[in-house]
Amino acid sequence: MNDPTTVLIVDDHALFREGLKELLESDGGIVVVGQAGDSKGAVALAAEHKPHVVLLDVEIPGDEVTTTVSRIQAVSPRSEVIILSMYDGAYLVQNLLAQNIRGYLLKSVGRVELLGAVHAARTDHDRVVLAVSRESLAQVQPARGNPLSAREQQVLELVAEALSNRQIAHRLHLTEATVKRHLRNIFVKLGAVSRVDAVNKAVAASLVKPPSSHP
């Protein structure tokens, strides 16, 4: 993948935007294609530029952040949204994860972590990056029962059978993008880092049956 990762920065502080732009473009593989200071501008620039990644401040003027995320996804389906925030309330994090954001980062994160999250948002479609407090992370992780939706469980059962995303999509009459979104949600809910890890954790929790190849 030789073409640069394009990024839209959304924050109501111009000085922060400029500093973030300089940091991102120092990477060499990232180009900032636009900056917005409110939700309306964010949606308009997302529609115009179709960036790979949108770095979205959680408290920008205008619409609620959850509404802004939905509108960005509607006008630019390829854009992956990473939330930047000064705080990490568990309820808000949970709601945004349900909207398939690709990351939730506190503004205290370092350069390496931020750049890694931006690159992962474009290249690693199964990864969700969370840089939040331990307390908040504990609250967004399910504590008991089956945390998976019926569809997520269907997807994971087929993953356990070693089917590819394409095969799962065909079996369930879904698009591959939808299967990937379900997998991202599964990883977050189970605290998994890979397909194998998700299956192992689901088997251990009796959420899915062990793969038939296992004794």
Side-chain angles (χ1 to χ4, degrees), residues 66-212:
T66 50
T67 300
T68 303
V69 170
S70 294
R71 290 180 175 173
I72 289 172
Q73 292 170 336
V75 299
S76 182
R78 86 163 185 174
S79 295
E80 303 287 3
V81 178
I82 296 176
I83 299 295
L84 299 177
S85 178
M86 293 295 293
Y87 64 92
D88 62 344
Y91 179 76
L92 178 59
V93 175
Q94 189 72 69
N95 283 347
L96 287 164
L97 286 174
Q99 291 184 274
N100 297 310
I101 62 167
R102 294 300 304 283
Y104 191 107
L105 307 179
L106 295 180
K107 288 186 174 180
S108 57
V109 298
R111 175 182 182 275
V112 172
E113 192 168 9
L114 175 62
L115 293 176
V118 170
H119 285 300
R122 183 183 180 191
T123 62
D124 188 349
H125 298 294
D126 291 333
R127 183 179 177 191
V128 177
V129 180
L130 295 178
V132 296
S133 68
R134 290 181 181 272
E135 292 79 7
S136 183
L137 183 61
Q139 291 181 60
V140 301
Q141 295 292 343
R144 64 184 67 182
N146 186 349
L148 305 179
S149 69
R151 180 63 86 185
E152 288 165 353
Q153 187 156 347
Q154 285 180 314
V155 169
L156 191 54
E157 287 171 351
L158 295 177
V159 169
E161 295 178 16
L163 271 65
S164 67
N165 287 352
R166 178 174 296 182
Q167 291 170 322
I168 294 170
H170 179 74
R171 182 78 64 88
L172 299 180
H173 305 289
L174 303 172
T175 66
E176 284 190 66
T178 298
V179 171
K180 289 177 181 178
R181 285 196 295 272
H182 285 311
L183 281 171
R184 290 202 297 265
N185 289 340
I186 290 168
F187 285 7
V188 170
K189 289 180 177 181
L190 299 183
V193 296
S194 69
R195 296 164 74 95
V196 172
D197 189 32
V199 170
N200 289 340
K201 288 184 175 181
V203 169
S206 299
L207 300 180
V208 300
K209 295 179 180 180
S212 55

Side-chain angles (χ1 to χ4, degrees), residues 49-75:
H49 295 291
K50 304 290 192 300
H52 293 116
V53 179
V54 177
L55 291 176
L56 176 64
D57 180 76
V58 77
E59 294 184 303
I60 57 168
D63 294 322
E64 292 291 329
V65 65
T66 50
T67 300
T68 303
V69 170
S70 294
R71 290 180 175 173
I72 289 172
Q73 292 170 336
V75 299

